[in-house]
Amino acid sequence: MFGVSMRTLISPSLSPFSLHLHHLPKPSLFSTVLRFSSAINNNIKSPKNSPRSAISTVKSQTTASSSSSPPQSHPLSFSPPGEIHVVVGPMFSGKTTTLLRRILAEKLTGKKIAVIKSNKDTRYCTESIVTHDGEKFPCWSLPDLSSFKERFGTDEYENRLDVIGIDEAQFFGDLYEFCREAADKEGKTVIVAGLDGDFMRRRFGSVLDLIPIADTVTKLTSRCEVCGKRASFTMRKTEEKVTELIGGAEVYMPVCRNHYVCGQSVLETARAVLDSSSTKTHDVVVASSL
Ligand SMILES: Nc1ncnc2c1ncn2[C@@H]1O[C@H](COP(=O)(O)OP(=O)(O)O)[C@@H](O)[C@H]1O
Ligand SMILES: Cc1cn([C@H]2C[C@H](O)[C@@H](COP(=O)(O)O)O2)c(=O)[nH]c1=O
Ligand SMILES: [Zn+2]
């Protein structure tokens, strides 16, 4: 990764709860529900006959019975909060390298981690995520994310897994649902790396849909292969027009805005010339066959 610039578009901020509650003149349904929920979670001791003591009782009954049967989740209790961190950028901007660094940092703090990549990407190795510099880390290579929990082991997933890394996120159709469920309901930290845009600078898969539900969003840049300036876009060097086309430096290159725009017009002109010359050739062939 070189010349990488990180721009955090959304940074962790104050809890919206504290902001909203501050302005509420009298207890609202929202603040009441919030108090109930935090009482459940914290098992706060309150005076008898208050709503809190009733909730404490519910909690302690649940806890008491948990020695013989699995704990029942209370309808108002929140799961431990998870997080979603999104890392985007053009090809060769260091997305996989960043994902790897963050995953290893989490592992060093004792967290249980797992990395998933799309099985569509068969470039270097199917069993590992591999950076363009050759760094590797073992991963689950899957067709979709919904099958992960079962493959990983439901008990292991629910009770022991802390952090999930997802590489080549643009290829997963169920990305949004998986990340929302994992962070909101299952308390997982999800680190997502993927292309924000394709070679035409169109949104790619559902990576951008994660922004409203993400805690942080980082856009990385590479270096323009033509002029060496900061590169935010990926240019396809070949004629193929399909959105999904697996490849590396033989097919794609990182470019700056200027060279993306120039390159597109150069490519369009070249295609127009090729098209017209093939039409002429075709005309000649037809004419000569008459
Ligand atoms: N053609 C290239 N242009 C730019 N960087 C390249 C190229 N080929 C290899 N690299 C290397 O790729 C590294 C980034 O790799 P990686 O983390 O896999 O990026 P990404 O996942 O964003 O594609 C850069 O630090 C650079 O050393
Ligand atoms: C721009 C673009 C890329 N792809 C493919 C090419 C690669 O296989 C991956 C991106 O890998 P990286 O880790 O970001 O280097 O996506 C594609 O299918 N379509 C595109 O437009
Ligand atoms: Zn350039």
Side-chain angles (χ1 to χ4, degrees):
M1 173 173 42
F2 59 97
V4 166
S5 90
M6 292 196 199
R7 278 182 289 147
T8 302
L9 305 179
I10 302 170
S11 57
S13 57
L14 285 173
S15 157
F17 294 157
S18 58
L19 291 175
H20 291 164
L21 290 177
H22 182 69
H23 296 292
L24 288 175
K26 57 183 180 189
S28 65
L29 176 62
F30 174 71
S31 62
T32 309
V33 168
L34 196 65
R35 270 211 319 276
F36 271 39
S37 310
S38 63
I40 291 166
N41 282 333
N42 301 327
N43 199 12
I44 296 166
K45 300 235 180 314
S46 308
K48 274 196 172 172
N49 302 327
S50 75
R52 279 184 180 178
S53 77
I55 292 163
S56 294
T57 312
V58 170
K59 166 89 184 210
S60 54
Q61 280 169 352
T62 309
T63 314
S65 63
S66 68
S67 54
S68 51
S69 58
Q72 304 289 306
S73 73
H74 191 279
L76 290 178
S77 71
F78 289 140
S79 300
E83 293 172 15
I84 300 176
H85 301 282
V86 181
V87 182
V88 294
M91 287 180 69
F92 313 104
S93 61
K95 300 183 297 297
T96 305
T97 310
T98 303
L99 175 66
L100 205 55
R101 296 272 175 279
R102 292 194 185 178
I103 285 288
L104 290 175
E106 295 280 1
K107 195 166 187 259
L108 278 176
T109 67
K111 301 270 173 61
K112 184 161 175 69
I113 54 129
V115 180
I116 309 168
K117 80 164 181 186
S118 164
N119 68 355
K120 287 180 183 170
D121 185 2
T122 48
R123 278 174 299 172
Y124 298 112
C125 173
T126 50
E127 305 307 318
S128 300
I129 54 164
V130 185
T131 72
H132 290 295
D133 294 321
E135 279 185 81
K136 275 186 177 187
F137 193 82
C139 75
W140 295 77
S141 182
L142 301 177
D144 53 56
L145 294 164
S146 58
S147 59
F148 176 65
K149 195 192 282 194
E150 212 181 317
R151 286 177 196 235
F152 192 75
T154 307
D155 179 56
E156 191 73 2
Y157 178 95
E158 283 174 356
N159 300 311
R160 278 170 284 283
L161 185 61
D162 304 303
V163 183
I164 304 167
I166 302 173
D167 202 13
E168 306 298 343
Q170 70 275 3
F171 293 133
F172 287 115
D174 52 0
L175 181 71
Y176 178 84
E177 293 75 16
F178 179 86
C179 294
R180 190 185 54 184
E181 181 89 1
D184 288 359
K185 302 209 177 130
E186 298 167 339
K188 312 294 179 203
T189 293
V190 193
I191 307 169
V192 181
L195 292 168
D196 46 335
D198 67 5
F199 71 108
M200 294 296 289
R201 300 192 302 182
R202 296 170 300 209
R203 58 187 298 129
F204 205 161
S206 31
V207 174
L208 296 185
D209 295 337
L210 293 180
I211 293 180
I213 59 165
D215 294 83
T216 68
V217 181
T218 307
K219 176 143 181 170
L220 302 175
T221 54
S222 186
R223 185 165 294 187
C224 177
E225 234 175 75
V226 184
C227 69
K229 287 190 183 152
R230 193 173 65 188
S232 304
F233 314 109
T234 313
M235 185 138 108
R236 187 179 279 174
K237 302 174 188 175
T238 64
E239 287 285 308
E240 282 95 338
K241 292 195 176 66
V242 285
T243 302
E244 293 187 7
L245 178 68
I246 305 303
E250 72 291 356
V251 184
Y252 297 100
M253 62 187 207
V255 283
C256 69
R257 185 178 297 277
N258 187 27
H259 286 112
Y260 181 84
V261 175
C262 290
Q264 286 304 115
S265 63
V266 168
L267 283 177
E268 274 157 29
T269 313
R271 274 179 205 135
V273 170
L274 282 172
D275 283 352
S276 75
S277 68
S278 71
T279 313
K280 276 183 194 142
T281 312
H282 181 70
D283 286 349
V284 170
V285 172
V286 172
S288 65
S289 66
L290 283 173

